[in-house]
Amino acid sequence: MKPLSLKYMIISATLAALALLGGAIWVLSGHSPAALSAAAPKAAKSPAAAPQSKAAQPHLPESKPLPVSEALSQRVAEYHIDVRLIPDTALLEASETVTWTHPGLKPVQELYFHLYPNAFASEKTTFMKESGGELRGDTMPADGFGSMTITDLRTTEGVSLMQRLQYVQPDDGNVNDKTLVKVHLPQPVNGGESVTLKIRFEVKLPKIFARMGTAGDFVMAGQWFPKLSVYEPKGTRGVKAEGWDLHQYHGTSEFYSDFGIYNVTISVPASYTVGATGFPVKAAQIKQDRKIYQFYADDVHDFAWAASPNFVVAEEAFSAPNVPGVRIKLYLDPLHKDLKERYFQAAKAALTAFSKWYGPYPYSTLSIIVPPKEGNGAGGMEYPTLITAFGAAESSPGTSLERTVIHEIGHQYFYGMVANNEFEEAWLDESFTSYAEDRLMEQEYGVSSNIALQASLVSTSQPLNLETWKYTTADGYTRNVYIRGKLVLKDIERQTGTKAMDAIMLAYARKYRFHHPSTEDFQKIVEKVTQKSWQAYFDQYVYSGGSPDFSVDNIKTGIAKSSTEGENGHYKFTVKVSNKGSQYADVPIKFTFSDGYTVRKIWNGGQKAANFQLTYKAPLMSVEIDPDHSILLESKHLNNFMLAELAPKTLSRWTLVSTKLLETLLGTLVW
């Protein structure tokens, strides 16, 4: 997901740039792995039921599997869903047949489902309390509440399990939060066995401000169906004991699901067009005043769709060396109908580069939804084979159009195929995608991010593998998960070199494609490629909120020879530097003398403090640690620079130069 509030970031960046000046001179510079065969489940079964009389049963969809391709993932879950959109009441009426194949060993007596729309049921839910009804600058509209209701839950034999439902709140105990529900099965499911349940449910769609809902006649159905939680076998993400990974829907958290198969039928008014995950099984059928779509997707862990009577649809076939063939589909808001070539170009650039860097794109479709301006809350979001751009607010947007498309397509790799737990280790998708986004924007469009400036925004460093809701603020989450995590990756690249970093990223993406990796898994890849331990580094900068804080503490000047200042005179200087933060090696230091001569030295960083001694014919004017701002993990730069005590004339000249530089800096920022 694309991060927040550009205006806020610009204001903060402007102030931070002044701090970065620090009184010093610096200028803004600105294929495919072996497929994992599907685990062959034992004969599927439904929970046994105690003898009881059966009431007349409502119609529920039958599980009719489509021809299945070679499995790339374990395919733990299989969903067959029929959904009907009723726009006048913003209602989804749906039925779902879901089969879960136990990936572990121990008998399981309960299944857990995420009911994400219930996050918007009232102001008392965990999501609403934590977010304050706001996400990325979009605020919940008046009377914009929505919810999900399970109206029927049965076994395949028709036995009701409604009385076995129980809402649970494992994270905060908030009884008003109903985003996670447990169903107690009549009979346990053993490892390798399968269980099938039939569900009827309704969704009262909220008004869009956080990823899903309605805006006028635009509908974004994301996280819209009862979705199974992830059951993690021992060893998955390093877990010591197998079990369910259970979390509510939080103000900053996104999602985590198992790979599987989706067969979804969507009924909308005849005037509506639908874009969805996967590919259409057949052409849409008109029945009376309704249009019926059927979509299928496999080896994905989510299914999303959007609908509108106003979409301008465009489609192109595309292939590249690591993209065997994909149909790129645009569902454009009318305001952006003339910008389709920019969307296509950005999508093709992303697919080409990311498939080269991180492994082939394995799906046959990629859909891009462009919401209307009022539906911007659904924009900038990723789902398997489907992304949303930001809302169409202007007819001639800047390169933010391309940046958003590239970022979200990057998520097809990190989150989509390399499917980390976004509740607990969000940096593994957001930081990695932001890293890839920056690289491609510079390569394709010549747009470079001011990394040093971004680093200064991370005022409070926190661990990168922290659960999302445990960051001090939503802003703290964003600055660590999107910015600091990206800077860690860039810092690893700085230390290893670009070629080695490319090998690290490709090895990681290939090994954990269609798996659920952890931060430790990534660390192991870094160590394997570089043939050395990175434990100390990860302990400081990943598993904790480490940050170096370099300081020029003192400059002492003396006479090296028995002479006064003049042509033959030499001066002796002792400069004390220190690191008040986390250890960091190979720190550059620049010494500048009054005649313009400069000396650069490298401090190995092994000690918390060090003294440098220099002798030169002219007075020492200044000392600056990390003058090129190449060490990206430091955010406090004010103490990196110190002026020596100078004669009045020299000091006057230096002050004038600094003033002119400040004016130039401000001129580049006030635009």
Side-chain angles (χ1 to χ4, degrees), residues 467-504:
E467 291 95 333
T468 62
W469 60 95
K470 292 184 180 179
Y471 284 95
T472 50
T473 62
D475 189 53
Y477 160 77
T478 300
R479 296 189 182 207
N480 280 274
V481 169
Y482 285 84
I483 298 178
R484 197 174 83 83
K486 175 181 68 175
L487 298 178
V488 165
L489 295 177
K490 288 181 177 291
D491 190 63
I492 294 173
E493 179 181 359
R494 173 181 177 268
Q495 297 186 51
T496 64
T498 300
K499 185 176 180 180
M501 189 63 181
D502 288 349
I504 288 168

Side-chain angles (χ1 to χ4, degrees), residues 522-534:
F522 175 65
Q523 179 188 336
K524 291 174 183 176
I525 294 294
V526 175
E527 293 177 336
K528 182 177 181 180
V529 172
T530 61
Q531 295 294 296
K532 70 173 187 177
S533 173
W534 284 75

Side-chain angles (χ1 to χ4, degrees), residues 295-359:
F295 291 90
Y296 174 84
D298 52 30
D299 299 313
V300 297
H301 49 71
D302 199 2
F303 187 98
W305 56 278
S308 172
N310 304 313
F311 280 145
V312 177
V313 182
E315 182 176 327
E316 285 190 11
F318 176 68
S319 62
N322 290 283
V323 186
V326 57
R327 300 202 71 84
I328 304 173
K329 303 179 180 182
L330 300 182
Y331 299 85
L332 298 159
D333 178 82
L335 184 61
H336 278 194
K337 65 181 180 180
D338 296 327
L339 300 176
K340 63 180 182 180
E341 291 307 320
R342 288 180 60 180
Y343 283 101
F344 277 128
Q345 197 280 334
K348 292 173 184 177
L351 287 171
T352 300
F354 296 155
S355 293
K356 177 182 178 181
W357 298 342
Y358 312 126

Side-chain angles (χ1 to χ4, degrees), residues 255-270:
F255 315 103
Y256 180 39
S257 306
D258 264 319
F259 290 96
I261 295 172
Y262 289 83
N263 178 27
V264 182
T265 300
I266 303 169
S267 171
V268 296

